[in-house]
Amino acid sequence: MNSDRQLEMINRATREIQPWMWEARQRGIIFDVGHGAGAFIFPTAYDSMRHGFPPDTLSSDLHNASIVKTKPAMPNVISKFMNFGMTLQEAICRSTVRPAQAIKRFPEVGTLSAGKVADVAVLQLRRGVFGFNDANLRRMIGTRKIEAVLTLRDGELVFDAHGLAFPEWHTQGGYNRIP
């Protein structure tokens, strides 16, 4: 039986991608990050990017245990991979189009066009010095960070970080009293 180390994506001794990973990709296996609380570590992500083996899709495994520890919300996952060299365009494609293709829902979802469901995330690219952490609570300093600004779900506003889509207060009449 293979040891756990033989089943790992990266050979710990050489820091190279395991040959069976390349073979699996050639056979059509889709590799997803699935960033949650326990498995995402910087050395593996860095080595996979360095060797030309980026994840096919970027996603989060967002749940109660992961939201505080590793912050795997999509903007943070995208930011980490951009700081390892993935372009913004690649990261957005791997977060939208490619997952929709993987579940055979493209172009119904994963893209914006007339007649499609209006699920929209408005993101802001910030430049500066930002800290990110992995599942082992190790830090990486990056210079680019994606932040969610506004979200529409089926055309309805569900998140507005800065209140920019809200109506002006002085044009909306009186306030209702909270009982």
Side-chain angles (χ1 to χ4, degrees), residues 10-30:
I10 305 288
N11 179 312
R12 289 188 191 196
T14 65
R15 304 305 308 162
E16 300 284 331
I17 304 291
Q18 298 279 16
W20 58 266
M21 294 290 289
W22 294 106
E23 294 165 11
R25 180 166 270 169
Q26 287 176 343
R27 288 194 322 267
I29 300 298
I30 296 169

Side-chain angles (χ1 to χ4, degrees), residues 35-168:
H35 188 335
F40 179 85
I41 58 172
F42 290 136
T44 301
Y46 174 77
D47 285 340
S48 69
M49 291 292 294
R50 180 170 65 97
H51 291 298
F53 199 93
D56 297 304
T57 58
L58 299 179
S59 69
S60 67
D61 182 15
L62 192 59
H63 52 79
N64 288 342
S66 67
I67 189 66
V68 174
K69 182 180 176 186
T70 60
K71 301 171 186 65
M74 282 306 299
N76 206 27
V77 175
I78 292 169
S79 297
K80 290 173 183 181
F81 277 91
M82 286 177 56
N83 282 290
F84 280 137
M86 190 176 283
T87 67
L88 174 61
Q89 292 77 12
E90 286 178 296
I92 297 300
C93 182
R94 291 170 195 271
S95 303
T96 57
V97 172
R98 293 239 179 116
Q101 290 169 331
I103 63 171
K104 303 196 182 336
R105 299 271 318 271
F106 184 82
E108 176 187 341
V109 296
T111 187
L112 292 175
S113 60
K116 305 294 185 230
V117 175
D119 292 343
V120 179
V122 177
L123 305 171
Q124 178 181 17
L125 173 60
R126 294 185 53 214
R127 295 186 186 278
V129 178
F130 307 100
F132 302 96
N133 64 283
D134 67 8
N136 288 340
L137 299 181
R138 302 301 198 277
R139 180 185 70 197
M140 173 182 75
I141 299 296
T143 58
R144 298 182 297 169
K145 182 178 183 182
I146 295 293
E147 290 184 347
V149 175
L150 186 130
T151 305
L152 301 175
R153 171 71 177 116
D154 199 17
E156 298 291 323
L157 180 67
V158 295
F159 174 75
D160 185 350
H162 306 296
L164 296 175
F166 296 170
E168 288 289 332

